[in-house]
Amino acid sequence: DVKVTQSSRYLVKRTGEKVFLECVQDMDHENMFWYRQDPGLGLRLIYFSYDVKMKEKGDIPEGYSVSREKKERFSLILESASTNQTSMYLCAIEGTVNSPLHFGNGTRLTVT
Amino acid sequence: RKEVEQDPGPFNVPEGATVAFNCTYSNSASQSFFWYRQDCRKEPKLLMSVYSSGNEDGRFTAQLNRASQYISLLIRDSKLSDSATYLCVVNMQGNTPLVFGKGTRLSVIA
C-alpha cells in the first residue's frame, strides 16, 4: 500500500517565520507535488518535482520554495509566512496509470 | 474558459436516490480522466478512473463523452456515507500535472 507521510497534521506559526512542510514517500516515485486547498478555490498546484534536485513551478508558486535532495523527500518552504498562507497543504505522489495521485493526509497550517 | 468545471452544489438528496454529476473540460486532447472523493477535512482519494468505454463499480458509474468534452459520475441508491465532495480530475496533455475541478458537494439525507 502506498504511503505518503506529511510531517505535521496541524501547525500554527507566526507571521514572518520560516516554515518547513515535509513530505516523505515510500514508493520510489519520481513525481511529487505540493498543493494547497482553500474553500471555494479547490486544489491549487504550488510546485512539483519530477526527480531529485528538479523542481517546476505550479500555478501559485509565489511565496514558496521547494527542496528535493533525496528521491523520497519533497519539502515545501515558506520563506516568510504570511496570514494569506493559512491553508490546508497536501503532498501527493504519482502512482500507476489507473491511480494517478496518492495524497498525504495533509497539513493544516495557520499563520497568525 | 476554465480548464475543468464542475457544479459546486451542494446536491442534497434523500437516501436511495440516484444522483449524477457532470464535469466539463476545455482541452479536447485530454487523455485520462478520474473521479476523486474527498471527505471533510481529509485528503482526496481515488474513486474511479473513467475509460472511453465507461466504467462501473457497484453503485457508481463513470462515463466519458469526448464529443461534448465532459465526464459524468452516476451514483445509484445513495447512502449516507456517500456524503462527500467529488472532484473531477483530468490529464490535459502528456506528462503534465493533473488538473482538478473545484469539486461538487453531495449531502445524502436520511
Side-chain angles (χ1 to χ4, degrees):
Chain A
D1 211 18
V2 177
K3 197 169 183 182
V4 182
T5 303
Q6 293 185 229
S7 53
S8 304
R9 192 82 173 95
Y10 298 95
L11 210 52
V12 180
K13 295 290 182 181
R14 294 191 181 275
T15 301
E17 277 193 79
K18 190 168 185 175
V19 182
F20 292 86
L21 302 183
E22 304 287 348
C23 176
V24 178
Q25 53 128 338
D26 66 349
M27 291 296 290
D28 201 35
H29 284 290
E30 282 83 20
N31 300 346
M32 298 186 74
F33 305 83
W34 273 107
Y35 293 86
R36 66 177 281 178
Q37 188 174 32
D38 302 284
L41 297 176
L43 276 159
R44 292 182 291 168
L45 181 63
I46 305 171
Y47 266 98
F48 59 103
S49 170
Y50 285 154
D51 207 343
V52 176
K53 296 194 186 295
M54 292 181 66
K55 60 183 179 183
E56 300 281 346
K57 291 181 180 179
D59 300 317
I60 52 161
E62 296 79 18
Y64 303 93
S65 62
V66 289
S67 172
R68 185 105 181 260
E69 295 297 316
K70 292 185 178 181
K71 195 173 190 180
E72 68 270 19
R73 186 180 296 268
F74 191 34
S75 304
L76 181 69
I77 304 158
L78 287 66
E79 295 290 341
S80 177
S82 62
T83 54
N84 63 13
Q85 292 178 310
T86 291
S87 186
M88 167 73 106
Y89 289 88
L90 289 156
C91 174
I93 67 169
E94 194 162 42
T96 66
V97 171
N98 291 328
S99 184
L101 282 177
H102 296 279
F103 286 89
N105 57 13
T107 296
R108 191 166 290 279
L109 172 68
T110 301
V111 182
T112 61
Chain B
R1 181 182 173 183
K2 294 178 184 172
E3 292 185 298
V4 178
E5 287 200 71
Q6 296 182 250
D7 182 341
F11 284 62
N12 299 315
V13 303
E15 272 187 291
T18 295
V19 61
F21 312 132
N22 279 347
C23 164
T24 59
Y25 59 94
S26 59
N27 188 341
S28 60
S30 297
Q31 298 175 350
S32 48
F33 310 86
F34 311 90
W35 284 103
Y36 273 69
R37 171 196 169 123
Q38 186 173 23
D39 293 299
C40 189
R41 304 180 82 82
K42 296 284 184 72
E43 74 276 18
K45 293 184 178 178
L46 180 70
L47 178 65
M48 57 199 309
S49 303
V50 188
Y51 306 122
S52 296
S53 56
N55 190 17
E56 187 171 323
D57 183 4
R59 297 182 294 108
F60 297 82
T61 300
Q63 292 197 312
L64 167 64
N65 185 318
R66 283 196 182 275
S68 301
Q69 293 181 213
Y70 74 86
I71 65 172
S72 63
L73 178 67
L74 180 78
I75 306 174
R76 289 181 296 276
D77 189 22
S78 300
K79 312 289 185 193
L80 294 175
S81 57
D82 293 334
S83 297
T85 296
Y86 292 85
L87 301 169
C88 170
V89 186
V90 178
N91 179 316
M92 290 280 175
Q93 186 177 357
N95 191 25
T96 57
L98 298 174
V99 180
F100 284 79
K102 292 183 181 178
T104 297
R105 193 152 58 92
L106 171 66
S107 290
V108 181
I109 304 161

